[in-house]
Amino acid sequence: MMSDFKIPYGESNFEKLITEKYIYIDKTKYIETLENDASYQFFIRPRRFGKSLFLSMLGNYYDINKKDEFDKLFGDLYIGKKPTPKKTSYFVLKLDFSNVTTDKGKLNLIDSFEKSVIDSAKDFVNKYETTLKFSRDKQKYNDSISAVNYIARKVNEINKKIFVLIDEYDNFANDLITSDEELYYDVVSSQGHIRTFYKSLKILTTTVVDRIFMTGVSPILLDDLTSGFNITKNLTLDRYYNEMMGFTEEELKLLIDESKINNFNKGTLILDMKQYYNGYLFSEDGESRVFNPNMVLYFLDSLIKHNKYPKNMLDLNIKTDYKKLENLAFNFKDEETIESILTNEEMDSNLVERFNLEYMYESKENFVSLLFYMGMLTIKESFLGSITLKVPNIAMKEIYWQYFRIKLFEKNNLKIDNAKVKQAINEMAVKGSCAGFIDYLKECLASLSNRDLAKFDEKHVKILILSIFMNNVYIANSEYEVEDGFIDILLSKNKAYDDSIRYEWLVELKYIKEKDRNTFDEIRKSGLEQIQRYEKSKRLSEMFELSNMKKLLIVVIGKKDIYVEVD
């Protein structure tokens, strides 16, 4: 049975979602909470986490022009049944800095910033022309400050207020930090163009700008704007807003029910999506972990259209977005921290709420905090003021694995033989043979310098293997939990190729330094015993067809020898 509602993948227009019968997970209860909080608010979430849709929802709710449409848009939602006193009472100015140009010098950056604001002011004029009786004098739009001041003056004349929504406030800053720090300092300095604009906006809060809600993906620009714009309250880590963007598991269940996906087991779908898209906790005291909403919608949209799992579990659009952020994060050149995250998949750190670019690269906590804001780390737990962060899901782990593979191969002047890797993995999937994969692993290990091997251990070998398995055939589960421990690597099939993949793999991995070669028999025995325990797991038997699961013990000795035992 097909759903009466559509999956809103890629859609960020709230009015369109409601009027054109898209599924909408109701987040309107947060309007009530936000309205009772500070008037000027700042909120960070990772890319593709529903920020633009949330701003669109706020805009529709507070827009004075939407009075006659309020019941149509909000009547079936939480806030429609419990409206706040300020509904449909504002003139809404929406600013979006996602298209500010950063790669063509200062003049082009300023021109594109100016154009962005002036275009928003023109949209404002067109929308409210009847109410405010704007003149058509084009001179009103000479620059961003005069344009905003003009519309502010017109609103003030009728004793009304403006709600300013700012999307992607930091987009251009994130680009500049990795490409042109000098230009960044220029435009956000005390007399810089960007800071001057925000100063003028702050002045308007004393008269006509009654509320501001601004979003971005990092607090990098916030500290550098502080002297000119020190009015916003940062709600990012507040427990009341932990689930404001993203889907809780209960919301995901509702989404699946609304989608009427009957050809797949709902429990299995949720477990599979958890591996790739879940795990995010943004407040120490948050009640629920949330799924990345755009990743979930991408998955469900593909599932409904093609009646099978997507070939790429990670949306390529999101991969492109995270590549930009990855460049920003790894600009710290802190390989030690990356290696620690790769090997331990977690670390303890305080969360820094504001960065100043001048001092940003001097602190490891800044780096780790930036990874947190970007969604590449999330809160695992906190105790007595100490926060443990972890990699939230496989989607983010793949980014780290890719980084590891690139750096490792660059360091040793190697090129990844994609054809050889593909053939080896296909043989594992179809024939149940790991010979080609083991041969390739031997090549990789043999290429490592003695310096690399000095601190090499089992975890490093595991990351190397996982980085090799970055493909669409298998989902590489690291430390897969069963009743009696954690499986080192579980290669489960990508269900988009369900009919073609015959074998899945349970891999137990051991590493012995050359000097400890005499411990081989003991280590081998320990590995086989672990495999025997794991294959008796009830959870494993419930989730997988064990008759088609190969059990593989890999014992790596130094960088010369690999012992393999397959069942």
Side-chain angles (χ1 to χ4, degrees):
M1 182 184 296
M2 290 293 290
S3 173
D4 295 330
F5 294 91
K6 296 176 282 188
I7 295 290
Y9 170 62
E11 299 289 347
S12 58
N13 184 321
F14 174 80
E15 183 176 8
K16 180 179 179 180
L17 261 65
I18 299 302
T19 58
E20 297 186 14
K21 288 195 169 184
Y22 284 87
I23 299 172
Y24 176 69
I25 298 299
D26 190 357
K27 297 289 187 178
T28 61
K29 67 179 181 180
Y30 290 100
I31 290 175
E32 194 173 47
T33 312
L34 289 168
E35 200 168 293
N36 291 320
D37 212 317
S39 297
Y40 311 115
Q41 300 164 345
F42 174 78
F43 193 73
I44 294 171
R45 282 298 179 264
R47 288 278 190 219
R48 309 273 179 165
F49 233 87
K51 297 186 294 294
S52 295
L53 175 59
F54 192 84
L55 262 65
S56 178
M57 182 266 287
L58 289 179
N60 278 274
Y61 179 79
Y62 285 108
D63 193 340
I64 200 167
N65 273 4
K66 298 291 185 179
K67 285 184 178 179
D68 295 338
E69 301 173 62
F70 183 82
D71 288 339
K72 179 178 72 173
L73 295 176
F74 293 96
D76 294 331
L77 302 176
Y78 174 92
I79 205 67
K81 299 177 177 65
K82 294 183 178 182
T84 65
K86 294 184 178 181
K87 75 177 178 76
T88 61
S89 63
Y90 288 103
F91 291 86
V92 177
L93 173 63
K94 169 73 181 302
L95 302 175
D96 183 348
F97 295 121
S98 60
N99 293 319
V100 174
T101 305
T102 60
D103 59 351
K104 297 179 181 178
K106 179 179 178 180
L107 291 179
N108 273 290
L109 185 151
I110 291 174
D111 285 346
S112 63
F113 181 90
E114 288 288 288
K115 184 178 186 304
S116 177
V117 177
I118 291 171
D119 285 349
S120 294
K122 287 180 178 179
D123 290 341
F124 185 97
V125 168
N126 292 333
K127 184 165 61 169
Y128 299 117
E129 182 177 11
T130 303
T131 309
L132 296 175
K133 298 181 175 55
F134 287 106
S135 71
R136 286 295 183 178
D137 184 357
K138 292 185 179 179
Q139 297 304 311
K140 304 297 182 185
Y141 310 122
N142 278 346
D143 61 79
S144 59
I145 294 175
S146 63
V148 172
N149 284 340
Y150 170 64
I151 63 177
R153 187 168 64 252
K154 297 298 289 184
V155 173
N156 202 37
E157 285 174 2
I158 62 171
N159 200 30
K160 293 291 184 180
K161 299 293 183 180
I162 294 175
F163 195 138
V164 179
L165 299 171
I166 304 177
D167 201 6
E168 303 252 22
Y169 96 103
D170 59 334
N171 186 63
F172 62 91
N174 293 336
D175 286 344
L176 284 179
I177 287 170
T178 57
S179 61
D180 195 339
E181 286 188 23
E182 185 176 344
L183 179 54
Y184 173 88
Y185 283 122
D186 192 353
V187 296
V188 301
S189 65
S190 59
Q191 301 303 316
H193 194 86
I194 306 299
R195 188 181 290 193
T196 300
F197 171 78
Y198 276 99
K199 283 181 182 178
S200 70
L201 186 59
K202 177 184 174 181
I203 292 170
L204 293 176
T205 63
T206 63
T207 55
V208 67
V209 173
D210 190 54
R211 297 188 71 83
I212 296 173
F213 188 87
M214 60 192 296
T215 70
V217 298
S218 82
I220 284 176
L221 185 58
L222 191 62
D223 193 62
D224 289 311
L225 289 176
T226 294
S227 64
F229 198 66
N230 57 349
I231 56 174
T232 56
K233 179 181 179 182
N234 190 345
L235 306 178
T236 303
L237 305 179
D238 193 313
R239 68 186 180 93
Y240 293 112
Y241 305 105
N242 180 65
E243 298 105 43
M244 187 166 75
M245 297 178 195
F247 297 147
T248 65
E249 186 168 336
E250 288 305 309
E251 289 171 334
L252 179 58
K253 290 176 182 176
L254 177 63
L255 181 60
I256 294 172
D257 290 340
E258 290 278 351
S259 304
K260 295 185 178 177
I261 302 173
N262 300 321
N263 295 337
F264 297 86
N265 179 274
K266 182 164 69 172
T268 302
L269 286 178
I270 292 171
L271 285 173
D272 289 340
M273 282 189 277
K274 270 186 177 180
Q275 292 183 82
Y276 257 86
Y277 313 135
N278 192 29
Y280 296 97
L281 188 70
F282 298 103
S283 171
E284 295 177 60
D285 304 312
E287 293 184 359
S288 303
R289 296 189 178 276
V290 293
F291 293 76
N292 181 301
N294 274 56
M295 291 184 185
V296 165
L297 295 173
Y298 157 78
F299 176 84
L300 293 178
D301 184 61
S302 179
L303 195 70
I304 291 170
K305 286 180 178 177
H306 306 293
N307 199 34
K308 63 179 182 179
Y309 279 43
K311 293 179 180 178
N312 294 295
M313 288 292 285
L314 183 57
D315 182 0
L316 295 181
N317 291 324
I318 293 175
K319 225 170 185 178
T320 301
D321 283 343
Y322 272 98
K323 188 65 181 174
K324 295 177 183 177
L325 296 174
E326 179 187 339
N327 291 336
L328 170 60
F330 297 145
N331 202 44
F332 279 81
K333 300 180 175 63
D334 189 346
E335 292 192 13
E336 183 180 336
T337 296
I338 293 295
E339 184 177 304
S340 178
I341 293 170
L342 280 163
T343 53
N344 301 314
E345 297 187 2
E346 62 180 54
M347 64 169 29
D348 295 334
S349 178
N350 292 320
L351 289 175
V352 179
E353 293 194 39
R354 287 171 179 256
F355 299 134
N356 181 297
L357 184 58
E358 184 177 355
Y359 308 108
M360 187 168 72
Y361 297 113
E362 296 178 8
S363 169
K364 175 181 174 180
E365 287 185 345
N366 287 348
F367 181 32
V368 175
S369 297
L370 184 58
L371 293 172
F372 165 77
Y373 290 118
M374 295 188 321
M376 297 175 71
L377 290 175
T378 198
I379 295 172
K380 178 185 179 183
E381 59 192 7
S382 64
F383 182 70
L384 295 178
S386 176
I387 297 175
T388 301
L389 300 171
K390 69 171 185 175
V391 184
N393 48 48
I394 292 178
M396 292 301 102
K397 287 177 184 178
E398 283 190 358
I399 292 175
Y400 289 108
W401 296 338
Q402 182 178 32
Y403 173 83
F404 175 85
R405 183 167 70 173
I406 291 171
K407 288 298 181 184
L408 187 68
F409 278 64
E410 280 180 355
K411 190 186 297 184
N412 293 280
N413 296 317
L414 284 174
K415 290 186 178 179
I416 299 168
D417 192 333
N418 290 316
K420 188 178 291 186
V421 170
K422 182 178 180 180
Q423 182 179 347
I425 293 173
N426 286 350
E427 287 177 357
M428 291 180 73
V430 178
K431 299 179 181 179
S433 170
C434 62
F437 165 68
I438 297 299
D439 286 342
Y440 188 74
L441 179 60
K442 285 180 179 178
E443 286 183 29
C444 294
L445 290 171
S447 70
L448 297 180
S449 66
N450 290 329
R451 183 179 177 183
D452 288 327
L453 283 173
K455 55 182 179 179
F456 215 64
D457 61 16
E458 181 181 311
K459 290 181 179 179
H460 289 86
V461 178
K462 184 177 78 170
I463 296 164
L464 177 59
I465 292 173
L466 290 169
S467 71
I468 293 171
F469 276 99
M470 286 175 54
N471 62 88
N472 296 327
V473 176
Y474 285 116
I475 296 173
N477 304 274
S478 172
E479 298 296 312
Y480 188 88
E481 185 174 3
V482 292
E483 295 89 337
D484 201 16
F486 296 85
I487 299 170
D488 283 336
I489 300 173
L490 184 70
L491 300 177
S492 58
K493 65 174 71 174
N494 180 341
K495 292 177 183 176
Y497 301 106
D498 199 35
D499 294 336
S500 302
I501 300 173
R502 182 177 179 186
Y503 296 102
E504 295 175 298
W505 291 77
L506 185 163
V507 181
E508 182 62 27
L509 178 65
K510 301 293 181 184
Y511 179 76
I512 304 173
K513 289 187 177 293
E514 187 64 44
K515 64 183 180 64
D516 299 321
R517 182 181 285 268
N518 63 334
T519 64
F520 170 76
D521 289 337
E522 179 184 346
I523 296 295
R524 170 185 170 274
K525 180 181 178 182
S526 171
L528 292 175
E529 287 175 350
Q530 285 177 269
I531 289 176
Q532 289 170 5
R533 291 202 310 270
Y534 296 153
E535 64 182 337
K536 295 175 183 177
S537 160
K538 182 180 178 183
R539 182 185 181 195
L540 208 62
S541 62
E542 289 175 346
M543 296 296 299
F544 302 97
E545 181 57 58
L546 294 187
S547 61
N548 289 331
M549 179 170 284
K550 305 287 284 186
K551 290 83 179 180
L552 171 63
L553 173 64
I554 300 176
V555 182
V556 178
I557 307 172
K559 67 174 184 176
K560 296 180 180 179
D561 297 325
I562 297 181
Y563 172 84
V564 175
E565 196 158 329
V566 185
D567 181 11

